[in-house]
């Protein structure tokens, strides 16, 4: 699990991260190694897991994210890869040169900020207004985001140790944007990012934040619908900031990680957008490989999992 992208802001050393693993997460390296080896042996007994990731570092971090619970880890691994088998609109054809993907990347809807905030957390900026409902579908947007997320998180041990910050800038968001998030899309979002993602570790949850910025009043009912899909433990991560209050954002995260447009010193949003377009085009083979990681439902013991099982009958693939 080698790192693909070199971050430059508030980066912790490998030694510092290993120290945090022992002191903050109370990890015993020997015991973790035993648990990971046990998971690798278990994976070999599952015929539908022949095409999932089994490397030690990936499983170690997945196990941490599942709060060191083997049963939860096994259940999450199954769901993590079965959603990839059953949601091709998001997980197939990870090619940054596809026109529908390029439109999202060119708009700069999703921007990992090439580093960490003052508390060492990995920061991603999302600007929903730039997702044009006339030219982009929600599937296009999620595919582009997942491609960026995969590149940014590969080998990013610090993100898996200090947590994440998502800045959701709602300025300029209209009801047309909000209507892109139908109940069917929200169900998929919830399954992929909440149910299947390894984010059960209480330390990671307590460290991570979702900052809502510049939320128009007309969008509040859609935001409340979003909240209704969240587990209670994740609602504690959300913090709504006053409209245009970039000082509060700087106080929370530090100005060195924020783009210039948000009162920071981390270049402009256009510079960051161009950086990520270049990074995606550097790693076509890595992206292609990610689309092969999935369950093989044709050989799953018992009943195969279908899109209806995972996302409900309202799911349209």
């Amino acid at each position: 699990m080698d790192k693909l992208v070199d971050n430059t802001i508030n980066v912790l050393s490998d030694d510092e991260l290993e120290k945090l693993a022992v002191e903050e997460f109370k990890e015993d390296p020997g015991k973790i190694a035993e648990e990971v080896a046990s998971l690798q042996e278990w994976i070999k007994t599952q015929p539908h897991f022949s095409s999932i990731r089994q490397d030690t570092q990936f499983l170690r971090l997945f196990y941490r994210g599942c709060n060191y619970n083997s049963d939860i880890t096994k259940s999450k691994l199954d769901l993590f890869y079965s959603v990839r088998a059953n949601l091709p609109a998001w997980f197939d054809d990870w090619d940054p040169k596809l026109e529908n993907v390029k439109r999202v990347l060119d708009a700069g809807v999703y921007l990992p900020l090439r580093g960490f905030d003052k508390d060492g957390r990995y920061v991603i900026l999302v600007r929903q207004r730039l997702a044009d409902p006339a030219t982009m579908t929600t599937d296009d947007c999620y595919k582009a985001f997942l491609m960026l997320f995969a590149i940014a998180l590969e080998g990013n041990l610090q993100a898996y140790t200090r947590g994440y910050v998502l800045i959701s800038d709602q300025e300029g968001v209209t009801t047309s944007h909000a209507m892109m998030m139908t109940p069917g899309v929200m169900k998929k979002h919830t399954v992929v990012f909440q149910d299947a993602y390894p984010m059960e570790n209480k330390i990671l949850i307590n460290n991570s934040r979702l900052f809502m910025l510049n939320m128009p009043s007309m969008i509040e009912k859609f935001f409340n619908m979003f909240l209704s899909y969240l587990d209670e433990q994740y609602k504690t991560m959300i913090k709504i900031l006053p409209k245009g209050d970039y000082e509060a954002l700087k106080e929370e995260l530090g100005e060195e990680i924020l783009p210039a447009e948000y009162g920071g010193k981390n270049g402009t949003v256009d510079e960051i957008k161009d950086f990520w377009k270049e990074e995606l085009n550097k790693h076509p083979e890595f992206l292609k490989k990610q689309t092969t990681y999935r369950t093989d439902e044709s050989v799953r013991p018992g009943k195969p999992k279908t899109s209806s099982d995972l996302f409900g009958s309202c799911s349209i693939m």
Side-chain angles (χ1 to χ4, degrees):
M1 194 174 180
D2 295 329
K3 184 166 53 178
L4 294 183
V5 178
D6 288 323
N7 295 294
T8 57
I9 300 168
N10 294 324
V11 177
L12 298 177
S13 69
D14 288 344
D15 287 343
E16 288 173 307
L17 293 172
E18 288 302 322
K19 184 178 180 182
L20 283 169
V22 173
E23 295 183 357
E24 186 173 3
F25 289 85
K26 309 301 182 188
E27 290 185 1
D28 178 336
K31 185 176 180 181
I32 295 293
E34 289 177 8
E35 293 290 346
V36 169
S38 177
L39 280 170
Q40 288 170 325
E41 288 302 311
W42 172 76
I43 288 169
K44 292 175 184 177
T45 70
Q46 306 299 306
H48 59 301
F49 278 1
S50 60
S51 296
I52 76 166
R53 286 188 69 162
Q54 304 175 37
D55 53 285
T56 298
Q57 181 74 314
F58 171 79
L59 290 175
R60 175 195 170 193
L61 297 175
F62 205 99
Y63 182 60
R64 175 189 289 173
C66 294
N67 212 29
Y68 312 107
N69 184 304
S70 293
D71 290 337
I72 292 175
T73 303
K74 292 175 181 178
S75 176
K76 287 259 186 187
L77 274 171
D78 192 305
L79 188 55
F80 188 82
Y81 287 109
S82 60
V83 296
R84 281 154 174 73
N86 282 285
L87 191 45
W90 293 14
F91 292 103
D92 280 5
D93 299 323
W94 277 17
D95 181 354
K97 291 183 168 58
L98 289 174
E99 283 303 318
N100 57 330
V101 173
K102 283 177 63 179
R103 276 193 292 271
V104 182
L105 299 176
D106 288 343
V109 182
Y110 308 102
L111 296 177
L113 295 185
R114 304 181 296 186
F116 307 88
D117 75 350
K118 66 181 184 179
D119 292 324
R121 302 172 297 187
Y122 195 67
V123 185
I124 301 173
L125 171 65
V126 180
R127 299 177 294 166
Q128 281 93 337
R129 73 179 182 277
L130 299 178
D132 183 358
T135 61
M136 304 173 193
T137 68
T138 51
D139 289 339
D140 297 337
C141 293
Y142 275 105
K143 178 183 287 191
F145 173 74
L146 287 161
M147 291 166 64
L148 283 165
F149 198 58
I151 292 280
L153 269 291
E154 183 69 12
N156 190 341
L157 182 58
Q158 185 166 336
Y160 289 103
T161 305
R162 296 303 297 145
Y164 313 87
V165 171
L166 190 70
I167 304 169
S168 178
D169 186 354
Q170 301 282 309
E171 183 179 11
V173 171
T174 66
T175 52
S176 294
H177 294 100
M179 292 299 290
M180 295 175 77
M181 296 300 290
T182 64
V185 171
M186 280 305 308
K187 176 63 175 177
K188 294 176 190 176
H189 176 101
T190 303
V191 173
V192 171
F193 293 103
Q194 176 177 272
D195 301 343
Y197 194 76
M199 193 68 176
E200 299 292 322
N201 187 288
K202 304 306 179 187
I203 294 172
L204 290 176
I205 291 172
N206 290 338
N207 285 349
S208 298
R209 292 289 181 273
L210 166 58
F211 290 107
M212 305 296 296
L213 188 65
N214 297 322
M215 187 189 298
S217 57
M218 71 177 69
I219 301 301
E220 288 181 6
K221 68 176 182 180
F222 293 97
F223 177 66
N224 290 332
M225 181 184 76
F226 165 73
L227 286 180
S228 71
Y229 283 86
L230 280 185
D231 287 347
E232 286 300 320
Q233 64 178 348
Y234 300 121
K235 292 179 182 178
T236 62
M237 297 165 53
I238 298 172
K239 186 166 185 178
I240 300 175
L241 297 180
K243 185 174 176 62
D245 193 352
Y246 297 143
E247 287 302 315
L249 201 60
K250 282 198 291 184
E251 184 177 337
E252 291 274 2
L253 307 182
E255 64 182 2
E256 63 274 11
I257 189 60
L258 293 171
E261 291 85 349
Y262 292 80
K265 299 179 178 179
N266 187 13
T268 66
V269 290
D270 280 344
E271 290 169 345
I272 298 169
K273 176 184 72 176
D274 291 342
F275 170 86
W276 284 108
K277 287 167 61 179
E278 185 177 328
E279 285 297 321
L280 282 178
N281 284 300
K282 281 182 185 176
H283 303 288
E285 291 307 311
F286 170 83
L287 290 168
K288 184 177 179 180
K289 182 67 175 175
Q290 304 317 297
T291 66
T292 68
Y293 294 134
R294 60 186 63 204
T295 56
D296 182 350
E297 294 300 325
S298 69
V299 295
R300 175 189 288 276
K303 182 179 179 292
K305 287 187 178 178
T306 67
S307 59
S308 294
D309 296 329
L310 296 170
F311 309 115
S313 59
C314 63
S315 175
I316 299 175
M317 304 307 293

